[in-house]
């Protein structure tokens, strides 16, 4: 039964990996969180058995055709099973072939320090403003042994605050005069949405409307 399940995983992973690599992607994130999927800093998370996650990682590793395509393994086990169990999962995921390791939502600097110290490999930290993990500086994360940092939601949270401030100013002042210096220029807006590229496509394919 285990052999049949592994074969099925390979069948499912193969077309997806090929599509991602052909599209220029260079990494795949696989996580052991169950459904319904939740933010790693939410309550009420569940995780699948470690053995099942190991097989998923092995299937992803076995089906990649480029050694530069990385497999990132994430565990959310800290919330329900504790840090020791989460570290044990990280060891198993590394042994299964994961290139990058991501233990989500450690609760303190001491917990963060244990991760690279006790599990060999390249580790990723996730910083969420207002979340569960301490917001250490980049140099401090590097000193602890982390290879990279994710700043999940940072741009979105900044955008939410900017929209709130702009709309509040509009309500209070009745114009954009107060917020003008806080808004991007129209040219920057056009650049961000790729306006010139869309216009070039329109010119190329619009043709003669009368024909």
């Amino acid at each position: 039964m285990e052999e049949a399940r592994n074969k099925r995983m390979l069948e499912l992973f193969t077309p997806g990996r090929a599509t991602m690599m052909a599209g220029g992607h260079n990494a795949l994130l696989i996580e052991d969180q169950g459904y319904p999927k939740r933010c790693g800093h939410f309550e009420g998370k569940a995780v699948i058995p470690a053995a099942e996650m190991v097989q998923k990682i092995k299937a992803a590793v076995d089906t990649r055709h480029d050694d530069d395509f990385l497999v990132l393994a994430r565990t959310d086990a800290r919330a329900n099973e504790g840090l020791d169990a989460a570290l044990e999962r990280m060891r198993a995921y590394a042994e299964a072939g994961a290139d990058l390791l991501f233990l989500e939502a450690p609760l303190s600097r001491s917990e963060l320090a244990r991760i690279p110290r006790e599990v060999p490999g390249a580790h990723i930290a996730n910083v969420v403003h207002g979340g569960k993990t301490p917001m250490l500086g980049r140099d401090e994360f590097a000193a602890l042994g982390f290879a990279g940092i994710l700043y999940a939601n940072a741009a979105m949270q900044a955008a939410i605050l900017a929209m709130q401030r702009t709309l509040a100013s509009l309500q209070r002042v009745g114009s954009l005069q107060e917020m003008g210096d806080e808004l991007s220029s129209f040219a920057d807006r056009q650049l961000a949405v790729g306006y010139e590229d869309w216009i070039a496509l329109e010119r190329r394919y619009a043709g003669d409307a009368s024909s």
Side-chain angles (χ1 to χ4, degrees):
M1 177 141 182
E2 186 71 18
E3 182 179 352
R5 186 172 71 171
N6 290 348
K7 181 179 179 181
R8 179 56 179 157
M9 282 187 180
L10 288 172
E11 292 172 350
L12 292 173
F13 270 108
T14 299
R17 297 300 74 69
T19 300
M20 292 183 70
M21 286 185 279
H25 298 275
N26 62 4
L28 169 70
L29 168 64
I30 306 176
E31 58 185 71
D32 60 11
Q33 191 179 147
Y35 290 96
K37 171 74 174 71
R38 299 176 187 270
C39 166
H41 292 251
F42 285 5
E43 303 298 334
K45 297 186 296 181
V47 291
I48 63 175
E52 181 179 342
M53 176 67 170
V54 164
Q55 295 306 315
K56 290 185 177 184
I57 295 169
K58 287 181 177 180
V61 171
D62 288 345
T63 56
R64 64 180 170 187
H65 307 298
D66 185 344
D67 289 339
D68 290 332
F69 186 81
L70 303 178
V71 175
L72 167 57
R74 162 178 160 170
T75 183
D76 284 82
R78 169 64 186 88
N80 296 337
E81 299 180 356
L83 183 63
D84 288 339
L87 290 170
E88 189 60 35
R89 282 178 178 253
M90 287 282 87
R91 294 185 192 98
Y93 301 167
E95 290 175 4
D99 305 292
L100 300 170
L101 305 171
F102 173 14
L103 195 159
E104 174 67 303
L107 302 181
S108 65
R109 187 187 185 284
S110 61
E111 288 195 2
L112 282 165
R114 287 185 60 188
I115 297 169
R117 185 173 68 233
E118 298 185 22
V119 182
H123 291 271
I124 303 296
N126 186 30
V127 174
V128 178
H129 181 70
K132 295 179 179 294
T133 300
M135 294 192 295
L136 307 182
R138 179 180 59 189
D139 292 343
E140 193 168 3
F141 273 116
L144 291 177
F146 285 88
I149 312 167
L150 304 175
Y151 290 95
N153 299 314
M156 180 183 70
Q157 287 174 281
I160 289 171
L161 182 58
M163 286 186 283
Q164 290 173 336
R165 288 177 174 172
T166 300
L167 294 175
S169 177
L170 275 172
Q171 183 180 47
R172 183 177 62 257
V173 178
S175 74
L176 290 174
Q177 181 177 355
E178 185 179 73
M179 298 299 296
D181 291 340
E182 303 298 321
L183 304 177
S184 70
S185 69
F186 191 72
D188 286 342
R189 181 263 188 200
Q190 299 296 72
L191 183 63
V193 300
Y195 174 78
E196 292 298 333
D197 293 333
W198 291 111
I199 292 300
L201 286 173
E202 181 181 48
R203 290 170 178 159
R204 181 176 180 181
Y205 295 110
D208 186 352
S210 62
S211 61

